[in-house]
mmCIF file of all heavy atoms in Angstrom:
data_model
loop_
_atom_site.group_PDB
_atom_site.id
_atom_site.type_symbol
_atom_site.label_atom_id
_atom_site.label_comp_id
_atom_site.label_asym_id
_atom_site.label_seq_id
_atom_site.Cartn_x
_atom_site.Cartn_y
_atom_site.Cartn_z
ATOM 1 N N LEU A 1 -5.470 4.856 -11.661
ATOM 2 C CA LEU A 1 -5.006 5.783 -10.638
ATOM 3 C C LEU A 1 -3.530 5.548 -10.321
ATOM 4 O O LEU A 1 -2.745 6.497 -10.248
ATOM 5 C CB LEU A 1 -5.853 5.647 -9.365
ATOM 6 C CG LEU A 1 -7.243 6.262 -9.422
ATOM 7 C CD1 LEU A 1 -8.101 5.756 -8.277
ATOM 8 C CD2 LEU A 1 -7.157 7.776 -9.398
ATOM 9 N N ARG A 2 -3.147 4.295 -10.139
ATOM 10 C CA ARG A 2 -1.740 3.985 -9.840
ATOM 11 C C ARG A 2 -0.831 4.362 -11.013
ATOM 12 O O ARG A 2 0.254 4.918 -10.815
ATOM 13 C CB ARG A 2 -1.588 2.502 -9.502
ATOM 14 C CG ARG A 2 -2.043 2.157 -8.102
ATOM 15 C CD ARG A 2 -1.591 0.760 -7.698
ATOM 16 N NE ARG A 2 -2.059 -0.275 -8.605
ATOM 17 C CZ ARG A 2 -3.222 -0.905 -8.498
ATOM 18 N NH1 ARG A 2 -4.055 -0.586 -7.525
ATOM 19 N NH2 ARG A 2 -3.557 -1.846 -9.354
ATOM 20 N N GLU A 3 -1.280 4.068 -12.232
ATOM 21 C CA GLU A 3 -0.490 4.401 -13.415
ATOM 22 C C GLU A 3 -0.323 5.909 -13.544
ATOM 23 O O GLU A 3 0.771 6.405 -13.829
ATOM 24 C CB GLU A 3 -1.173 3.837 -14.652
ATOM 25 C CG GLU A 3 -0.423 4.066 -15.930
ATOM 26 C CD GLU A 3 -1.196 3.527 -17.122
ATOM 27 O OE1 GLU A 3 -1.026 2.345 -17.440
ATOM 28 O OE2 GLU A 3 -1.980 4.297 -17.713
ATOM 29 N N THR A 4 -1.405 6.634 -13.316
ATOM 30 C CA THR A 4 -1.346 8.093 -13.394
ATOM 31 C C THR A 4 -0.447 8.654 -12.311
ATOM 32 O O THR A 4 0.321 9.590 -12.549
ATOM 33 C CB THR A 4 -2.758 8.694 -13.297
ATOM 34 O OG1 THR A 4 -3.549 8.170 -14.357
ATOM 35 C CG2 THR A 4 -2.722 10.209 -13.387
ATOM 36 N N GLN A 5 -0.524 8.074 -11.122
ATOM 37 C CA GLN A 5 0.358 8.534 -10.050
ATOM 38 C C GLN A 5 1.819 8.326 -10.428
ATOM 39 O O GLN A 5 2.652 9.214 -10.224
ATOM 40 C CB GLN A 5 0.040 7.800 -8.748
ATOM 41 C CG GLN A 5 0.866 8.294 -7.572
ATOM 42 C CD GLN A 5 0.548 7.557 -6.307
ATOM 43 O OE1 GLN A 5 0.289 6.362 -6.324
ATOM 44 N NE2 GLN A 5 0.555 8.262 -5.198
ATOM 45 N N ALA A 6 2.125 7.174 -11.000
ATOM 46 C CA ALA A 6 3.507 6.898 -11.398
ATOM 47 C C ALA A 6 3.978 7.854 -12.490
ATOM 48 O O ALA A 6 5.131 8.278 -12.491
ATOM 49 C CB ALA A 6 3.627 5.450 -11.877
ATOM 50 N N LEU A 7 3.084 8.213 -13.393
ATOM 51 C CA LEU A 7 3.466 9.078 -14.513
ATOM 52 C C LEU A 7 3.487 10.563 -14.147
ATOM 53 O O LEU A 7 4.282 11.318 -14.686
ATOM 54 C CB LEU A 7 2.501 8.879 -15.681
ATOM 55 C CG LEU A 7 2.601 7.546 -16.407
ATOM 56 C CD1 LEU A 7 1.419 7.384 -17.353
ATOM 57 C CD2 LEU A 7 3.900 7.456 -17.171
ATOM 58 N N CYS A 8 2.593 10.974 -13.246
ATOM 59 C CA CYS A 8 2.356 12.408 -13.066
ATOM 60 C C CYS A 8 2.720 12.972 -11.694
ATOM 61 O O CYS A 8 2.756 14.187 -11.532
ATOM 62 C CB CYS A 8 0.883 12.709 -13.327
ATOM 63 S SG CYS A 8 0.332 12.285 -14.986
ATOM 64 N N ALA A 9 2.941 12.143 -10.712
ATOM 65 C CA ALA A 9 3.128 12.651 -9.348
ATOM 66 C C ALA A 9 4.319 13.597 -9.234
ATOM 67 O O ALA A 9 4.260 14.583 -8.510
ATOM 68 C CB ALA A 9 3.278 11.494 -8.365
ATOM 69 N N GLY A 10 5.392 13.333 -9.945
ATOM 70 C CA GLY A 10 6.573 14.177 -9.833
ATOM 71 C C GLY A 10 6.559 15.408 -10.713
ATOM 72 O O GLY A 10 7.428 16.259 -10.607
ATOM 73 N N SER A 11 5.556 15.535 -11.576
ATOM 74 C CA SER A 11 5.565 16.632 -12.536
ATOM 75 C C SER A 11 5.141 17.966 -11.927
ATOM 76 O O SER A 11 5.623 19.001 -12.326
ATOM 77 C CB SER A 11 4.673 16.301 -13.733
ATOM 78 O OG SER A 11 3.329 16.171 -13.322
ATOM 79 N N ASP A 12 4.251 17.943 -10.955
ATOM 80 C CA ASP A 12 3.729 19.176 -10.371
ATOM 81 C C ASP A 12 3.170 18.835 -8.992
ATOM 82 O O ASP A 12 2.477 17.825 -8.830
ATOM 83 C CB ASP A 12 2.636 19.737 -11.277
ATOM 84 C CG ASP A 12 2.061 21.065 -10.803
ATOM 85 O OD1 ASP A 12 2.596 21.625 -9.829
ATOM 86 O OD2 ASP A 12 1.090 21.534 -11.411
ATOM 87 N N THR A 13 3.438 19.676 -7.999
ATOM 88 C CA THR A 13 2.979 19.369 -6.639
ATOM 89 C C THR A 13 1.456 19.388 -6.540
ATOM 90 O O THR A 13 0.870 18.578 -5.820
ATOM 91 C CB THR A 13 3.574 20.353 -5.618
ATOM 92 O OG1 THR A 13 3.240 21.691 -6.007
ATOM 93 C CG2 THR A 13 5.070 20.198 -5.520
ATOM 94 N N ASP A 14 0.805 20.298 -7.257
ATOM 95 C CA ASP A 14 -0.653 20.353 -7.224
ATOM 96 C C ASP A 14 -1.260 19.097 -7.845
ATOM 97 O O ASP A 14 -2.208 18.527 -7.310
ATOM 98 C CB ASP A 14 -1.173 21.595 -7.955
ATOM 99 C CG ASP A 14 -2.687 21.706 -7.878
ATOM 100 O OD1 ASP A 14 -3.230 21.626 -6.750
ATOM 101 O OD2 ASP A 14 -3.327 21.863 -8.937
ATOM 102 N N LEU A 15 -0.693 18.656 -8.973
ATOM 103 C CA LEU A 15 -1.179 17.430 -9.606
ATOM 104 C C LEU A 15 -0.930 16.228 -8.705
ATOM 105 O O LEU A 15 -1.779 15.338 -8.593
ATOM 106 C CB LEU A 15 -0.520 17.223 -10.966
ATOM 107 C CG LEU A 15 -0.883 18.226 -12.050
ATOM 108 C CD1 LEU A 15 -0.086 17.947 -13.317
ATOM 109 C CD2 LEU A 15 -2.372 18.189 -12.349
ATOM 110 N N GLY A 16 0.218 16.197 -8.054
ATOM 111 C CA GLY A 16 0.519 15.108 -7.125
ATOM 112 C C GLY A 16 -0.464 15.072 -5.966
ATOM 113 O O GLY A 16 -0.928 14.002 -5.561
ATOM 114 N N ARG A 17 -0.803 16.250 -5.445
ATOM 115 C CA ARG A 17 -1.770 16.330 -4.350
ATOM 116 C C ARG A 17 -3.144 15.858 -4.818
ATOM 117 O O ARG A 17 -3.828 15.114 -4.114
ATOM 118 C CB ARG A 17 -1.852 17.772 -3.833
ATOM 119 C CG ARG A 17 -2.826 17.972 -2.681
ATOM 120 C CD ARG A 17 -3.044 19.456 -2.385
ATOM 121 N NE ARG A 17 -3.498 20.230 -3.530
ATOM 122 C CZ ARG A 17 -4.742 20.204 -4.019
ATOM 123 N NH1 ARG A 17 -5.647 19.429 -3.474
ATOM 124 N NH2 ARG A 17 -5.087 20.950 -5.056
ATOM 125 N N ARG A 18 -3.538 16.263 -6.020
ATOM 126 C CA ARG A 18 -4.848 15.862 -6.552
ATOM 127 C C ARG A 18 -4.930 14.355 -6.756
ATOM 128 O O ARG A 18 -5.924 13.728 -6.388
ATOM 129 C CB ARG A 18 -5.127 16.579 -7.870
ATOM 130 C CG ARG A 18 -5.447 18.053 -7.704
ATOM 131 C CD ARG A 18 -5.667 18.744 -9.027
ATOM 132 N NE ARG A 18 -6.852 18.210 -9.696
ATOM 133 C CZ ARG A 18 -7.088 18.344 -10.996
ATOM 134 N NH1 ARG A 18 -6.240 19.003 -11.756
ATOM 135 N NH2 ARG A 18 -8.180 17.835 -11.535
ATOM 136 N N ILE A 19 -3.890 13.749 -7.322
ATOM 137 C CA ILE A 19 -3.933 12.312 -7.562
ATOM 138 C C ILE A 19 -3.903 11.545 -6.247
ATOM 139 O O ILE A 19 -4.593 10.523 -6.094
ATOM 140 C CB ILE A 19 -2.813 11.858 -8.530
ATOM 141 C CG1 ILE A 19 -3.024 10.400 -8.981
ATOM 142 C CG2 ILE A 19 -1.445 11.970 -7.912
ATOM 143 C CD1 ILE A 19 -4.222 10.171 -9.823
ATOM 144 N N ASP A 20 -3.137 12.024 -5.275
ATOM 145 C CA ASP A 20 -3.131 11.368 -3.956
ATOM 146 C C ASP A 20 -4.513 11.408 -3.325
ATOM 147 O O ASP A 20 -4.965 10.429 -2.725
ATOM 148 C CB ASP A 20 -2.110 12.031 -3.029
ATOM 149 C CG ASP A 20 -0.674 11.737 -3.430
ATOM 150 O OD1 ASP A 20 -0.452 10.781 -4.209
ATOM 151 O OD2 ASP A 20 0.222 12.469 -2.961
ATOM 152 N N ARG A 21 -5.191 12.533 -3.469
ATOM 153 C CA ARG A 21 -6.543 12.654 -2.895
ATOM 154 C C ARG A 21 -7.533 11.757 -3.631
ATOM 155 O O ARG A 21 -8.400 11.143 -3.005
ATOM 156 C CB ARG A 21 -7.001 14.116 -2.944
ATOM 157 C CG ARG A 21 -8.282 14.372 -2.224
ATOM 158 C CD ARG A 21 -8.146 14.067 -0.736
ATOM 159 N NE ARG A 21 -9.455 14.185 -0.110
ATOM 160 C CZ ARG A 21 -9.907 13.357 0.813
ATOM 161 N NH1 ARG A 21 -9.154 12.387 1.268
ATOM 162 N NH2 ARG A 21 -11.105 13.519 1.305
ATOM 163 N N LEU A 22 -7.416 11.665 -4.948
ATOM 164 C CA LEU A 22 -8.284 10.766 -5.703
ATOM 165 C C LEU A 22 -8.082 9.312 -5.263
ATOM 166 O O LEU A 22 -9.050 8.561 -5.117
ATOM 167 C CB LEU A 22 -8.020 10.893 -7.204
ATOM 168 C CG LEU A 22 -8.542 12.148 -7.888
ATOM 169 C CD1 LEU A 22 -8.070 12.190 -9.335
ATOM 170 C CD2 LEU A 22 -10.048 12.210 -7.829
ATOM 171 N N ILE A 23 -6.829 8.933 -5.043
ATOM 172 C CA ILE A 23 -6.543 7.567 -4.596
ATOM 173 C C ILE A 23 -7.148 7.326 -3.218
ATOM 174 O O ILE A 23 -7.754 6.272 -2.976
ATOM 175 C CB ILE A 23 -5.017 7.306 -4.608
ATOM 176 C CG1 ILE A 23 -4.529 7.249 -6.049
ATOM 177 C CG2 ILE A 23 -4.662 6.047 -3.842
ATOM 178 C CD1 ILE A 23 -3.024 7.237 -6.196
ATOM 179 N N ALA A 24 -7.023 8.287 -2.321
ATOM 180 C CA ALA A 24 -7.601 8.141 -0.978
ATOM 181 C C ALA A 24 -9.124 8.035 -1.045
ATOM 182 O O ALA A 24 -9.732 7.194 -0.365
ATOM 183 C CB ALA A 24 -7.180 9.315 -0.095
ATOM 184 N N LEU A 25 -9.748 8.869 -1.857
ATOM 185 C CA LEU A 25 -11.210 8.812 -1.992
ATOM 186 C C LEU A 25 -11.666 7.494 -2.609
ATOM 187 O O LEU A 25 -12.685 6.924 -2.197
ATOM 188 C CB LEU A 25 -11.713 9.992 -2.825
ATOM 189 C CG LEU A 25 -11.652 11.352 -2.141
ATOM 190 C CD1 LEU A 25 -11.917 12.464 -3.137
ATOM 191 C CD2 LEU A 25 -12.626 11.412 -0.989
ATOM 192 N N HIS A 26 -10.914 6.991 -3.583
ATOM 193 C CA HIS A 26 -11.253 5.704 -4.190
ATOM 194 C C HIS A 26 -11.136 4.583 -3.161
ATOM 195 O O HIS A 26 -11.986 3.689 -3.089
ATOM 196 C CB HIS A 26 -10.353 5.428 -5.393
ATOM 197 C CG HIS A 26 -10.684 4.161 -6.092
ATOM 198 N ND1 HIS A 26 -9.941 3.028 -5.923
ATOM 199 C CD2 HIS A 26 -11.694 3.841 -6.938
ATOM 200 C CE1 HIS A 26 -10.470 2.054 -6.642
ATOM 201 N NE2 HIS A 26 -11.525 2.516 -7.268
ATOM 202 N N ARG A 27 -10.095 4.614 -2.350
ATOM 203 C CA ARG A 27 -9.904 3.602 -1.302
ATOM 204 C C ARG A 27 -11.053 3.658 -0.296
ATOM 205 O O ARG A 27 -11.597 2.614 0.089
ATOM 206 C CB ARG A 27 -8.564 3.845 -0.611
ATOM 207 C CG ARG A 27 -8.150 2.726 0.315
ATOM 208 C CD ARG A 27 -6.776 2.970 0.926
ATOM 209 N NE ARG A 27 -5.767 3.273 -0.072
ATOM 210 C CZ ARG A 27 -5.071 4.408 -0.113
ATOM 211 N NH1 ARG A 27 -5.266 5.358 0.769
ATOM 212 N NH2 ARG A 27 -4.165 4.597 -1.046
ATOM 213 N N GLU A 28 -11.440 4.866 0.124
ATOM 214 C CA GLU A 28 -12.567 5.016 1.054
ATOM 215 C C GLU A 28 -13.865 4.518 0.426
ATOM 216 O O GLU A 28 -14.677 3.867 1.100
ATOM 217 C CB GLU A 28 -12.718 6.482 1.465
ATOM 218 C CG GLU A 28 -11.594 6.997 2.331
ATOM 219 C CD GLU A 28 -11.631 8.502 2.516
ATOM 220 O OE1 GLU A 28 -12.657 9.142 2.165
ATOM 221 O OE2 GLU A 28 -10.626 9.055 2.986
#
């Protein structure tokens, strides 16, 4: 998740939002 966030977060706002939500759900 962290690696994907580092690679993909800046590429598209929708993808960034999706990865942020996945990280939050994983943390919960």
Side-chain angles (χ1 to χ4, degrees):
L1 285 165
R2 283 193 303 272
E3 182 182 272
T4 301
Q5 184 180 37
L7 290 169
C8 300
S11 64
D12 183 7
T13 56
D14 183 51
L15 293 176
R17 180 190 56 75
R18 287 178 65 199
I19 191 66
D20 289 343
R21 188 62 186 139
L22 286 174
I23 290 170
L25 288 169
H26 182 258
R27 190 177 308 120
E28 291 170 12

